[in-house]
Amino acid sequence: MVEEFSLEKTRNIGIIAHIDAGKTTVSERILYYTGKKHKIGEVHEGQAEMDWMTQERERGVTITSAATTVFWTPQGGEKTRINLIDTPGHIDFTAEVQRSLRVLDGGVVVFDGVAGVEPQSETVYHQAEKFKVPLIAFINKMDRMGANFYTDIDSIHERLTTHAYPIQLPIGAESDFKGIIDLFHRKAFIYLDEMGKEIKEEEIPTDLKNQAEKFRHNLIEAIVEHDEKLMSEYLAGQEPEISELKKVLRQLVIQGKMMPILCGSALKNKGVQLLLDAICEYLPSPLEVPPVEGFVPGSEEKQIKHADFKEPLAALAFKIATDPYVGRLCYLRVYSGILKAGSYILNATTKNKERVGRIVQMHANQRQEIQEIRAGDIAAIVGIKNTTTGDTICDPDHPIILESIEFPEPVISVAIEPKSKPDQEKMGLAISKLTEEDPTFKVRTDEETGQTIISGMGELHLEIIVDRLNREFNVNANVGQPRVAYKETIDSLIESEGKYIHQSGGRGQYGHCWLRLEPLERGKGFEFVDEIKGGVIPREYIPAIKKGIIEAMDSGVLAGYPLVDMRVAVYDGSFHEVDSSEAAFKVAASRAVRDGVQRANPILLEPIMKVEVVVPEKFLGEVIGDLNSRRAQVQGTKNRGQIKLIDAFVPLGEMFGYTTALRSVTEGRGSSTMEFSHYAPVPRNIQENIIGNKK
Ligand SMILES: Nc1nc2c(ncn2[C@@H]2O[C@H](COP(=O)(O)OP(=O)(O)OP(=O)(O)O)[C@@H](O)[C@H]2O)c(=O)[nH]1
Ligand SMILES: [Mg+2]
């Protein structure tokens, strides 16, 4: 039986950062110091418990976020239960970060003590901001050669927020990194043993006293500014009680107005206990975050749900995983009420009623059976069939739909061909399981070539999928070269008639509709509008018309890429008492779309990537020249010491092989990162080429 915990003493937190900042290493230390594990597993030795997938262990990279639950009693505080999610840093797995942030109450953003704020840490920081997830910062790797706490702080101020204040300072750096100063209490903690368990508390070293006083002063001034009572004490020359200052800081963190900065070295076992203290001290409990909002299904009526066991159940499914032992696992964050094993629930998104089988608490890929999940908690249910990521699970008598989770569109694709007939069968099943798990993994059939095309967020993402198909699902397949996932859209408004009429003897076919196709803003996807009045087309055929439109949009007229960013309205048509059918209207609508798109100035869209290149100054000219030849729009350059940062937007199609090219131009000293930004029209001449190649 899992201990019951008051909500006040519960934390739901995520660890987020740029790739390789040390998130998993920090998580492993958390498992160790909280006593969940007695031995530390290292990422680079393929032993980290939170990186449990074979592919993660082989590559030393986190791919899927892993959850666990630990207990920690902070200095001078009460035992607290922490639900922790370790997220991946690689941009290809950004969906894992997004879905985690959507259900978490707080986060720790980890920085590399040498590199400071890196592009992906900027991205996750802004995602956290968007989901209103308060953060504390942990500057890790203080033991590494070149680690510099103070330039890291500058980079946080410059790139993320000026409202970030250290509450600790490091003692020494690089191989001399010895301990940590607690600014509030004016204390130094010196780590004596390798495992970081013997800690000596002492005076701040003399040579750091001035520095510590300066930062302490800044911290306190920043805090009292937000509290009138403390401010007047402070102005009267009296320093407020530390407990009072911490209380205000806690509120500021929770409101997203301030980010405390801590430091340490996870690998060398320094600073993690203090980080755990800070998680309990400054990050919110489920009671301290705004209640979740939703609406009553089928209406616009808003509803809020408080973190309260007594309210009706409301929960969000944020992750589906296939477990080799128990089958389909559905991870839930319960916002209100209690979900009990064996009870009946409503999936308000799909309107399905289902019975909850077993409930399990997850620790990486291990499960512990529990009887219920309470408001404010995270756990998984086993054996639920018709629920996917983003669905709301609720009390059948009190339906509510919570805001779903939005995911980015896949930008890269490969053709995949099973080697034999049995492989073909297995592949279909495997792909449908994988698409259930991963909302950024899509599959479609190319109408012209008949090939199966899988798309994802990047080359690594697809490589991992193909590897899983092979090893987990035993599918042997040939895989093509990665290609850009283009899209098609229209550039002008058009009206289009679609007919499917056969009336020669016996029961005929009669479907007839008029559609208006209209371009939508980039990224808006597809909108369907029903403008039929006076029953020119009977109600029951409208869903079939919508289906026909969606089917036709699967494959555009230029080169067979999916059509997006279109509003389609059905505004007229006719029907026949006997001969009309859903099938006939579906075909009519598909025809109207195909014909209309031809005349509506179809254009090809390509993914544009936000690229950051880091190079030593002397290569700047050459690197920019090379970027320009790749149709880049260089946004600007910045200095970081002797190093230059170049920001640019570059079409994905021009970025294949860039890492290698950059390395050869910069004698191996340049590096780059990219992430998807938006879709934009392909220039005419290049469009011709792409279409030509496809054909
Ligand atoms: N020197 C030093 N190395 C560290 C420290 N923390 C982590 N590392 C190393 O950095 C590498 C990456 O660490 P991970 O913990 O896998 O980083 P991550 O942020 O989880 O990476 P992804 O999940 O792939 O984004 C590993 O080789 C770690 O051993 C540290 O404090 N000091
Ligand atoms: Mg990791």
Side-chain angles (χ1 to χ4, degrees):
M1 186 62 202
V2 175
E3 277 177 84
E4 268 177 29
F5 251 75
S6 78
L7 280 174
E8 249 172 284
K9 296 292 161 222
T10 298
R11 301 287 179 274
N12 291 307
I13 65 143
I15 306 210
I16 58 173
H18 188 85
I19 185 161
D20 262 359
K23 298 171 291 294
T24 305
T25 308
V26 168
S27 308
E28 289 298 312
R29 269 54 185 185
I30 290 182
L31 297 180
Y32 177 68
Y33 292 116
T34 56
K36 183 104 187 174
K37 248 186 105 180
H38 299 294
K39 215 170 139 265
I40 289 171
E42 298 294 3
V43 173
H44 52 264
E45 288 161 3
Q47 294 299 327
E49 195 139 316
M50 299 297 271
D51 279 352
W52 58 269
M53 276 172 72
T54 321
Q55 290 80 359
E56 295 181 315
R57 293 192 157 194
E58 284 172 358
R59 293 161 199 250
V61 169
T62 305
I63 293 165
T64 176
S65 40
T68 189
T69 301
V70 297
F71 296 90
W72 181 249
T73 310
Q75 285 278 326
E78 283 172 57
K79 190 170 174 184
T80 304
R81 164 199 179 102
I82 304 171
N83 291 317
L84 179 102
I85 295 185
D86 174 29
T87 67
H90 196 287
I91 185 69
D92 284 12
F93 310 116
T94 186
E96 289 292 289
V97 184
Q98 248 158 297
R99 61 164 119 222
S100 305
L101 285 172
R102 169 70 176 76
V103 298
L104 291 168
D105 302 324
V108 175
V109 51
V110 179
F111 299 97
D112 178 328
V114 181
V117 177
E118 297 169 271
Q120 191 57 13
S121 21
E122 209 171 328
T123 304
V124 293
Y125 178 87
H126 292 305
Q127 281 174 346
E129 237 181 359
K130 184 177 139 208
F131 290 108
K132 300 203 169 60
V133 172
L135 295 176
I136 55 186
F138 182 70
I139 298 183
N140 187 34
K141 302 201 184 183
M142 283 307 302
D143 62 293
R144 261 188 76 193
M145 190 134 98
N148 188 329
F149 185 70
Y150 302 97
T151 52
D152 294 336
I153 294 178
D154 290 344
S155 77
I156 291 177
H157 287 166
E158 202 180 299
R159 296 185 66 160
L160 303 180
T161 167
T162 50
H163 303 287
Y165 292 85
I167 58 167
Q168 299 179 340
L169 296 185
I171 303 172
E174 307 181 335
S175 57
D176 272 341
F177 177 56
K178 286 197 281 290
I180 290 165
I181 292 172
D182 175 332
L183 289 176
F184 274 124
H185 295 283
R186 293 192 171 100
K187 269 188 208 159
F189 296 100
I190 307 293
Y191 290 80
L192 299 177
D193 68 325
E194 273 208 350
M195 297 318 284
K197 285 194 132 174
E198 272 175 60
I199 303 168
K200 194 168 87 184
E201 194 181 307
E202 56 178 45
E203 290 261 302
I204 296 177
T206 335
D207 59 329
L208 285 172
K209 276 210 163 116
N210 285 342
Q211 181 86 319
E213 283 309 313
K214 187 182 108 197
F215 277 96
R216 187 175 191 273
H217 176 84
N218 291 347
L219 170 67
I220 293 179
E221 277 211 328
I223 296 173
V224 298
E225 218 171 82
H226 294 272
D227 189 281
E228 272 179 35
K229 180 175 149 278
L230 297 191
M231 183 61 143
S232 53
E233 270 177 48
Y234 186 74
L235 290 177
Q238 187 195 346
E239 183 178 301
E241 291 273 338
I242 291 174
S243 60
E244 295 284 309
L245 288 167
K246 285 189 169 183
K247 235 189 248 165
V248 177
L249 176 56
R250 174 182 179 78
Q251 286 316 312
L252 292 171
V253 174
I254 293 174
Q255 292 158 15
K257 291 186 182 152
M258 214 180 263
M259 179 168 75
I261 305 176
L262 290 80
C263 64
S265 161
L267 188 66
K268 302 289 179 192
N269 307 315
K270 295 184 176 73
V272 178
Q273 297 98 323
L274 295 172
L275 173 65
L276 278 162
D277 285 353
I279 289 170
C280 301
E281 264 189 299
Y282 302 115
L283 291 177
S285 80
L287 294 171
E288 289 163 300
V289 294
V292 68
E293 272 187 15
F295 56 90
V296 180
S299 82
E300 312 248 299
E301 189 192 331
K302 259 206 184 151
Q303 251 190 31
I304 57 170
K305 290 276 184 198
H306 296 274
D308 187 339
F309 306 147
K310 291 187 208 86
E311 280 198 25
L313 173 72
L316 187 77
F318 67 95
K319 187 177 163 88
I320 303 293
T322 317
D323 184 292
Y325 299 101
V326 297
R328 201 163 184 270
L329 277 174
C330 170
Y331 286 70
L332 291 177
R333 157 82 196 238
V334 175
Y335 286 96
S336 68
I338 300 179
L339 179 72
K340 286 192 179 355
S343 64
Y344 279 89
I345 48 99
L346 172 73
N347 177 332
T349 314
T350 61
K351 304 193 179 79
N352 275 317
K353 237 171 141 183
E354 280 194 74
R355 185 167 172 275
V356 177
R358 286 189 291 146
I359 301 180
V360 290
Q361 187 164 73
M362 296 303 293
H363 167 59
N365 59 336
Q366 297 152 34
R367 305 147 304 271
Q368 184 192 356
E369 191 153 345
I370 54 178
Q371 290 313 309
E372 57 185 35
I373 327 176
R374 298 172 149 237
D377 226 337
I378 288 172
I381 51 182
V382 179
I384 200 147
K385 281 190 211 74
N386 299 311
T387 298
T388 55
T389 302
D391 289 0
T392 303
I393 300 287
C394 62
D395 181 335
D397 296 329
H398 297 88
I400 178 171
I401 296 185
L402 306 175
E403 191 186 325
S404 187
I405 313 177
E406 269 180 40
F407 292 104
E409 284 292 310
V411 289
I412 199 165
S413 58
V414 296
I416 177 162
E417 261 172 277
K419 286 189 179 153
S420 69
K421 189 94 190 114
D423 285 320
Q424 169 111 44
E425 280 152 21
K426 278 184 282 180
M427 186 169 94
L429 210 67
I431 285 186
S432 82
K433 278 198 175 156
L434 291 175
T435 47
E436 257 180 24
E437 279 184 24
D438 182 350
T440 55
F441 171 56
K442 299 264 161 75
V443 60
R444 64 185 191 91
T445 308
D446 188 313
E447 284 205 349
E448 282 155 34
T449 61
Q451 282 175 316
T452 302
I453 310 286
I454 57 172
S455 353
M457 301 301 295
E459 290 181 66
L460 180 63
H461 186 200
L462 291 179
E463 199 183 307
I464 299 287
I465 294 216
V466 170
D467 192 52
R468 286 186 67 187
L469 281 175
N470 185 303
R471 289 204 275 186
E472 247 169 76
F473 299 95
N474 229 335
V475 175
N476 285 308
N478 292 319
V479 181
Q481 286 297 316
R483 294 185 197 288
V484 175
Y486 293 101
K487 295 191 169 174
E488 299 183 21
T489 189
I490 53 170
D491 205 20
S492 46
L493 185 149
I494 211 106
E495 295 186 334
S496 178
E497 184 180 29
K499 276 190 202 158
Y500 183 58
I501 301 175
H502 283 286
Q503 291 175 307
S504 45
R507 190 173 165 192
Q509 296 285 1
Y510 193 104
H512 174 218
C513 62
W514 275 93
L515 304 181
R516 189 183 324 103
L517 314 183
E518 200 180 329
L520 279 182
E521 220 178 292
R522 265 321 71 77
K524 289 280 188 246
F526 164 62
E527 242 181 74
F528 174 69
V529 191
D530 170 14
E531 291 177 6
I532 293 297
K533 294 204 181 73
V536 240
I537 298 174
R539 285 297 91 207
E540 69 250 43
Y541 299 131
I542 303 293
I545 290 176
K546 185 174 172 187
K547 234 188 229 162
I549 297 170
I550 291 175
E551 267 186 34
M553 286 181 61
D554 219 26
S555 172
V557 300
L558 290 174
Y561 293 108
L563 279 157
V564 293
D565 302 343
M566 262 168 67
R567 176 185 292 130
V568 183
V570 53
Y571 64 94
D572 203 358
S574 61
F575 72 105
H576 185 274
E577 284 295 349
V578 182
D579 292 345
S580 275
S581 67
E582 287 182 13
F585 273 103
K586 198 170 123 197
V587 177
S590 284
R591 285 184 173 175
V593 171
R594 283 216 187 92
D595 171 60
V597 168
Q598 295 277 11
R599 292 178 291 116
N601 270 334
I603 50 175
L604 202 61
L605 298 173
E606 63 180 344
I608 306 290
M609 311 304 279
K610 186 168 173 278
V611 178
E612 184 181 289
V613 188
V614 183
V615 287
E617 184 153 14
K618 68 170 185 178
F619 302 113
L620 187 66
E622 228 172 317
V623 169
I624 291 191
D626 175 62
L627 281 171
N628 285 336
S629 74
R630 295 171 188 269
R631 292 195 281 134
Q633 290 177 320
V634 175
Q635 302 294 299
T637 60
K638 273 184 252 155
N639 295 323
R640 191 195 284 158
Q642 296 302 306
I643 298 284
K644 292 274 180 193
L645 304 186
I646 309 166
D647 278 318
F649 288 108
V650 194
L652 175 61
E654 305 287 341
M655 287 300 284
F656 287 110
Y658 183 66
T659 323
T660 319
L662 179 66
R663 246 185 248 139
S664 78
V665 173
T666 60
E667 297 163 9
R669 291 168 61 201
S671 66
S672 70
T673 47
M674 66 172 178
E675 63 179 295
F676 169 69
S677 168
H678 59 278
Y679 270 89
V682 178
R684 278 287 159 189
N685 55 332
I686 293 168
Q687 173 167 321
E688 301 306 316
N689 270 340
I690 296 169
I691 297 172
N693 284 344
K694 181 88 194 293
K695 303 225 155 112

